[in-house]
Amino acid sequence: MASLLTHHNLNRMASLEKGSWTSRTYREAVLKQMKTIIPFDAYCFNTVDPSTLLSTGAVTEDGIEAIHKQLFLNEYMEDDVHKYADLIQSGQYTAILQASLPLHSHPESSSRYANILRPAGIYDEMRAVFVDQNACWGHLTLYRKQDAPAFSEEERLLMQHWTASIALMLRTTRLSLTEELTVKSPEEPGIMLLNTSLEPVMNNAAARYWLSELHRLEQVGHAVLPRPIRAVCSHLLQSTHTETKIVAEADAGNGTGNDTGKDTGAGASSFPSPDHALNPLSKVCVQLLDGRYLMLHASRMQHPEDTPSVIQPDHIAVWLEQALPQDVLPLLSERYGLSARERELLAYVLRSFSSKEIAEAMHISVYTVQDHLKSIFAKTEVSSRRELIWQFVSRFQLSEEI
């Protein structure tokens, strides 16, 4: 059998770097190229917010869409093999499920396989994460059905070789810049209420507007809960689950369990106290089709402590609003590859600080300020402060209060 690791195959993804793509069209092109070399029956190709690893949108197909909610919960709520975060930390970036576990004799070794994939008729999966500039920009899972062979090590090595090129393009296309924005967003924030099964309960007009924009972005029907919303809600459930476990263990260790009859507050809700900061905030920033950035933030809603939970169950509130400057600026800085020091200096420029004022604030010389500005000008392809401010403020409807 001929080797898959030919020069032509190894450079398949690099050939796509010259195209003009949106994030979605690029991912569709990648899948089309992959399928000519690595057969698969289903797929799920996510972009993620590099700061939280939460999904900002997926290209998938109906078979996986049907189990997508279960896969989300498995990723955030259960211990399992080849978690995306674990692959990122490992530095290997690719893995095959069947090659890692004795699934034939012990399929329960992977809850994802035993409880989600196998009942759905899926035999194997190959996962890949796409890391560029020390940040993850997306992940891909390919699936094969029960009557298909497992993915091979050669196929994994080929995927491993492609990860660098795909990561570069996911970063570039996710942070692709549009012309000056003219679309007006709702003045009030969107608020959406869901139960802990991620079923919508109610929402306001602004939330319905943003939901329609997310449906357009993902090209899914209105009955489908957009993946960024699933992501922030699943992350919140995972965070509160972890915090509840830690609080319970701490109480047990201190001998402060609930058997004393005193109301500790824990019995009023399945969610723990909000004072714990063990996990990052459940929020994600998503770029819409028209170039605007949407911030989603999930938070727990609790009923009053004296109200029985059977009457008032816990809910999740999702806040949807056009991203603030402090949310968008890091993304745009990533797009241009600015260093941490350059980003700090840029924030002062956008607040109209003079070179002398910037030097004093950053404890550097004016000459160093000028060197940083030259580097920023080169990376952003502008030639003056005025152009730089337009690029980051006027073009993206940012205020100068950054």
Side-chain angles (χ1 to χ4, degrees):
M1 181 178 178
S3 172
L4 294 178
L5 303 178
T6 65
H7 181 270
H8 178 68
N9 286 345
L10 291 171
N11 287 283
R12 288 256 186 165
M13 299 307 153
S15 67
L16 297 177
E17 293 177 14
K18 299 178 182 179
S20 178
W21 310 100
T22 66
S23 176
R24 186 178 188 87
T25 58
Y26 172 72
R27 283 178 283 161
E28 289 172 343
V30 165
L31 290 166
K32 184 176 181 181
Q33 286 279 5
M34 281 185 179
K35 196 157 191 177
T36 63
I37 307 169
I38 302 176
F40 55 86
D41 299 305
Y43 57 86
C44 184
F45 198 166
N46 278 277
T47 52
V48 301
D49 184 328
S51 63
T52 63
L53 298 185
L54 298 183
S55 173
T56 59
V59 176
T60 186
E61 52 86 45
D62 292 342
I64 299 304
E65 184 62 44
I67 58 174
H68 210 268
K69 176 182 174 181
Q70 295 169 269
L71 292 172
F72 257 104
L73 294 177
N74 170 264
E75 192 66 28
Y76 293 111
M77 300 288 289
E78 301 175 2
D79 291 329
D80 216 322
V81 296
H82 305 157
K83 292 294 191 74
Y84 297 122
D86 293 337
L87 290 180
I88 295 167
Q89 291 296 322
S90 74
Q92 187 169 357
Y93 300 157
T94 56
I96 298 170
L97 183 60
Q98 286 286 350
S100 302
L101 293 174
L103 296 176
H104 293 294
S105 56
H106 300 287
E108 68 280 359
S109 300
S110 168
S111 173
R112 184 168 65 253
Y113 178 73
N115 301 323
I116 305 173
L117 299 181
R118 188 170 63 172
I122 294 172
Y123 172 63
D124 199 12
E125 67 170 21
M126 178 161 61
R127 287 187 162 198
V129 294
F130 303 109
V131 178
D132 184 59
Q133 296 189 358
N134 297 316
C136 180
W137 301 93
H139 44 69
L140 167 68
T141 305
L142 302 180
Y143 302 94
R144 284 181 178 167
K145 294 181 179 179
Q146 294 287 355
D147 56 353
F151 289 100
S152 69
E153 175 63 10
E154 193 173 39
E155 289 170 327
R156 188 195 67 79
L157 290 173
L158 183 57
M159 179 70 77
Q160 181 77 25
H161 181 82
W162 288 336
T163 58
S165 175
I166 295 172
L168 169 66
M169 291 299 292
L170 289 181
R171 180 177 69 85
T172 302
T173 57
R174 180 179 184 269
L175 302 175
S176 61
L177 305 180
T178 60
E179 295 305 315
E180 187 171 0
L181 302 179
T182 58
V183 180
K184 186 174 178 60
S185 301
E187 294 184 0
E188 66 173 354
I191 301 174
M192 182 179 188
L193 200 65
L194 305 94
N195 62 26
T196 52
S197 296
L198 306 191
E199 297 168 338
V201 176
M202 62 181 67
N203 50 48
N204 64 359
R208 290 191 290 274
Y209 170 84
W210 290 121
L211 281 169
S212 68
E213 292 298 305
L214 290 172
H215 285 133
R216 282 206 311 131
L217 174 68
E218 297 202 313
Q219 297 183 16
V220 295
H222 292 290
V224 177
L225 187 66
R227 291 168 190 83
I229 295 178
R230 293 185 204 172
V232 293
C233 292
S234 297
H235 180 269
L236 178 70
L237 291 173
Q238 182 270 333
S239 300
T240 52
H241 172 76
T242 300
E243 292 169 3
T244 300
K245 182 178 179 181
I246 291 175
V247 170
E249 291 174 350
D251 286 345
N254 294 329
T256 57
N258 290 336
D259 55 352
T260 62
K262 294 182 180 180
D263 182 9
T264 64
S269 170
S270 62
F271 288 109
S273 166
D275 297 333
H276 302 279
L278 304 175
N279 294 278
L281 293 176
S282 300
K283 67 178 183 178
V284 67
C285 192
V286 180
Q287 188 177 24
L288 302 175
L289 290 176
D290 56 26
R292 287 175 297 169
Y293 287 89
L294 175 65
M295 179 61 71
L296 299 88
H297 189 172
S299 182
R300 61 193 182 90
M301 302 294 289
Q302 290 179 289
H303 52 79
E305 293 185 1
D306 58 353
T307 304
S309 59
V310 294
I311 299 176
Q312 296 289 337
D314 294 317
H315 287 88
I316 299 171
V318 178
W319 183 283
L320 306 97
E321 192 171 30
Q322 184 164 343
L324 297 172
Q326 59 264 35
D327 299 316
V328 177
L329 184 59
L331 296 176
L332 300 181
S333 298
E334 287 280 1
R335 167 64 178 86
Y336 289 114
L338 302 185
S339 68
R341 202 63 166 158
E342 289 167 346
R343 296 180 195 190
E344 182 182 356
L345 189 145
L346 174 61
Y348 287 116
V349 171
L350 298 183
R351 290 157 59 189
S352 300
F353 276 46
S354 67
S355 293
K356 182 179 179 180
E357 290 171 331
I358 294 173
E360 292 175 352
M362 297 181 65
H363 306 290
I364 58 178
S365 71
V366 174
Y367 297 107
T368 303
V369 170
Q370 295 304 318
D371 287 341
H372 281 313
L373 281 173
K374 289 178 183 178
S375 176
I376 293 172
F377 289 168
K379 291 178 179 180
T380 58
E381 300 181 349
V382 302
S383 58
S384 68
R385 287 193 183 206
R386 176 177 294 182
E387 288 183 50
L388 186 65
I389 290 173
W390 177 85
Q391 188 84 309
F392 282 88
V393 178
S394 301
R395 190 176 187 184
F396 295 98
Q397 298 178 347
L398 305 187
S399 73
E400 295 185 19
E401 298 177 358
I402 296 177

